[in-house]
Amino acid sequence: MLKEITEATQSIQAKDQHFMHPWEDVTAIGTQARTVIAKADGIYIVDSDGNRLIDGPGGMWCVNVGHGREEIVEAVAAQMRDLTYFSPWSATAPPAAVLAERLANLAPGDLNNVFFTTGGSTAVDSALRFAFFYNNCLGRPEKKHIISRVGAYHGSTHLTASCSGKMLEKANMDMVEDTVHLIPNPNPALRPSGMSLEEFCDRKVADLENKILELGPDKVAAFIAEPILASGGVIIPPEGYYRRCHDLCRKHDVLFIADEVVTAFGRLGHYFASKDVFGVEPDMLTTAKGLTSGYVPMGALFISDRLMADIKAAGNEPKGFFSGFTYSGHPVAAAAALANLDIFEHDALLDHVAKVAPHFEKRLRELADLPMVRDIRVNGLMAGVECCLDPEKPDDERDMNFLLEVDEICQRNGLLLRPVYSSAVLSPPLTITAAQIDALVDILKQGLETAWENRATDPK
Ligand code: PLP
């Protein structure tokens, strides 16, 4: 049961009216009373009234090594004492250089060039800018179209939001429309009844090839794809889809940008999922979140040696990539990332994920018998549990309200969820144990059952 809301909490909530949050409903400014999170340790967060909750979304898919790791706190403090900041334009700092080399060694294929950014959106935006720059350097300035997918999420800059395919979130927001193209969602649950997964995969790969051919391969710069569409509700495309899309891009000389802002750094049991899980060596790869486990903001774009060599081969005159940020390779963020990677090694975190992920999947699949559960999607330690109140009306607004109620009930019982449309998405800290997974799934199950019973007595 939740503890009483204290005056201290109310005071923060009043001040918070001035904090315009992401995805803020502007008409509701001044009326929101958000949960105030005051502390956190391990997989738990503690609100300002002392309620301890399992952090189901792991912050925002990011607190991979768990909250409150002293090693990162110490590394950040030590780095701040030595050097808080120096301009990356004019010099380098040891942590950023060491981190770049360490990441290049971990990254798949020839992704040896690490361009540090301030987060995921700026990593993706930089990848797209590099794709344009690359084609300009190669003397083909008309090769500028980008293909992305419905259901994708790539960020919140003008261009990355345009490449995102969460359609409800485009209302009232301007998008780049002439050069960004969204092909259909590769969610297997959307396939017509009677269609096999193999046929569906063929059709989704064909969507990409048809779009490339329709625009003309000489006009298409890049295809951008998350291996698993995270914020779209943990959409797992059919087996072989990602690799076949990559092969198609190669065939048509289109750059393949892997957006691994969520899937890198252990979420799927590997540092990077593209090669180790899906067999793909992308031309560019974007990360953020788990890179520092969210302790300090940082993102990184990895660019392949091949692209650098192509640019060099196109002529000897200097070709500046005039893109960068005041905080590119920030020493404090880099120190946090290095300490974060140390924890991965010392705690053998990837092995731990390999051990607990099957239990996570098994326990979640037990929810399939519940009457409102439509689909359960799990890979590694990320999952989406999709609900549908009326099978005749999937993706109804009532499903979203249902999930909000489930979240409310779960919070009372000690679990923070993240409803995304009609799915509850989960990406707990990777340190989660089997017993903690049991607790998480038990609370979720109870939340689903209670909200279902409430609905039966109050079918609004
Ligand atoms: N790409 C993906 C796949 C994401 O999930 C996100 C954020 O959730 C982003 C990019 C944007 O990252 P950020 O919010 O750090 O800018």
Side-chain angles (χ1 to χ4, degrees):
M1 266 314 179
L2 287 183
K3 294 183 181 144
E4 210 172 298
I5 298 178
T6 59
E7 269 181 37
T9 297
Q10 285 170 0
S11 155
I12 295 292
Q13 286 172 334
K15 293 176 174 44
D16 191 52
Q17 303 309 324
H18 295 279
F19 176 2
M20 187 168 169
H21 289 257
W23 268 234
E24 186 79 70
D25 173 357
V26 169
T27 63
I29 282 181
T31 64
Q32 304 269 32
R34 290 185 162 89
T35 308
V36 180
I37 306 298
K39 284 183 176 232
D41 68 280
I43 68 153
Y44 299 98
I45 48 176
V46 183
D47 74 18
S48 53
D49 302 322
N51 299 297
R52 193 171 155 88
L53 310 163
I54 296 175
D55 183 0
M60 184 75 170
W61 321 94
C62 58
V63 189
N64 291 11
V65 298
H67 296 277
R69 297 297 299 242
E70 275 302 317
E71 304 92 317
I72 302 182
V73 176
E74 284 304 322
V76 162
Q79 183 55 47
M80 280 187 162
R81 282 186 203 103
D82 281 349
L83 170 74
T84 46
Y85 178 79
F86 200 79
S87 162
W89 269 263
S90 48
T92 197
V98 173
L99 178 63
E101 186 203 42
R102 190 159 167 187
L103 289 173
N105 289 336
L106 293 174
D110 65 345
L111 292 170
N112 289 320
N113 307 280
V114 184
F115 184 81
F116 289 116
T117 67
T118 52
S121 303
T122 46
V124 175
D125 205 81
S126 302
L128 298 168
R129 293 194 77 199
F130 193 87
F132 302 148
F133 166 76
Y134 172 78
N135 283 322
N136 290 339
C137 290
L138 267 59
R140 39 194 206 185
E142 71 295 340
K143 199 166 160 64
K144 291 290 163 59
H145 290 256
I146 304 161
I147 301 176
S148 182
R149 299 168 299 175
V150 171
Y153 182 71
H154 294 298
S156 213
T157 65
H158 187 38
L159 186 54
T160 59
S162 304
C163 292
S164 296
K166 295 181 72 186
M167 304 319 268
L168 291 180
E169 291 154 24
K170 301 221 163 199
N172 298 316
M173 303 297 287
D174 281 13
M175 298 288 148
V176 176
E177 280 166 0
D178 50 348
T179 51
V180 174
H181 309 269
L182 298 177
I183 55 175
N185 192 325
N187 182 357
L190 299 176
R191 71 189 188 280
S193 67
M195 180 183 276
S196 71
L197 278 174
E198 291 73 23
E199 282 173 284
F200 181 70
C201 186
D202 291 346
R203 197 178 271 198
K204 293 302 106 184
V205 174
D207 285 344
L208 175 59
E209 183 151 45
N210 291 340
K211 183 54 78 178
I212 294 174
L213 294 175
E214 175 197 319
L215 296 166
D218 56 335
K219 300 280 190 303
V220 182
F223 172 59
I224 178 157
E226 302 157 84
I228 291 177
L229 293 82
S231 300
V234 186
I235 304 302
I236 305 178
E239 178 83 35
Y241 165 84
Y242 193 67
R243 191 185 33 73
R244 288 176 63 191
C245 286
H246 171 262
D247 295 348
L248 259 186
C249 286
R250 270 293 154 89
K251 176 176 154 197
H252 293 294
D253 191 18
V254 167
L255 298 180
F256 186 96
I257 304 172
D259 185 351
E260 289 221 39
V261 166
V262 169
T263 52
F265 302 108
R267 184 60 50 204
L268 302 186
H270 300 269
Y271 283 112
F272 298 94
S274 284
K275 173 103 186 274
D276 289 342
V277 182
F278 300 98
V280 163
E281 289 183 7
D283 298 304
M284 286 191 261
L285 186 152
T286 53
T287 61
K289 300 189 188 270
L291 171 59
T292 56
S293 285
Y295 279 65
V296 185
M298 183 178 231
L301 157 66
F302 295 71
I303 305 169
S304 77
D305 286 341
R306 178 175 79 88
L307 303 193
M308 299 305 190
D310 287 348
I311 294 174
K312 272 188 202 152
N316 277 334
E317 71 284 4
K319 295 190 187 73
F321 178 52
F322 299 117
S323 185
F325 307 96
T326 299
Y327 302 129
S328 295
H330 195 289
V332 176
L338 286 168
N340 183 55
L341 288 174
D342 288 345
I343 292 174
F344 269 81
E345 284 179 17
H346 294 157
D347 289 8
L349 212 44
L350 300 180
D351 294 342
H352 176 74
V353 174
K355 267 189 220 125
V356 296
H359 185 64
F360 185 63
E361 172 156 12
K362 176 176 153 284
R363 287 300 326 268
L364 283 170
R365 294 230 177 266
E366 288 167 18
L367 304 176
D369 294 337
L370 298 178
M372 79 302 282
V373 171
R374 181 181 180 216
D375 196 16
I376 297 174
R377 304 179 284 268
V378 197
N379 195 329
L381 284 182
M382 67 194 286
V385 177
E386 187 174 335
C387 294
C388 178
L389 300 183
D390 178 354
E392 300 294 313
K393 291 189 201 148
D395 299 318
D396 194 64
E397 201 183 318
R398 290 185 318 145
D399 298 336
M400 301 183 207
N401 293 336
F402 177 78
L403 255 301
L404 291 177
E405 190 178 344
V406 174
D407 185 27
E408 224 176 278
I409 298 165
C410 287
Q411 284 200 41
R412 285 206 288 275
N413 294 332
L415 167 67
L416 183 81
L417 272 187
R418 180 168 174 232
V420 173
Y421 299 155
S422 50
S423 296
V425 305
L426 294 163
S427 61
L430 307 181
T431 50
I432 195 166
T433 64
Q436 290 168 334
I437 288 171
D438 289 338
L440 183 160
V441 179
D442 290 346
I443 298 173
L444 174 58
K445 180 163 190 261
Q446 199 191 351
L448 289 164
E449 286 170 342
T450 308
W452 181 254
E453 281 160 24
N454 292 350
R455 170 207 148 268
T457 51
D458 177 21
K460 37 184 186 307

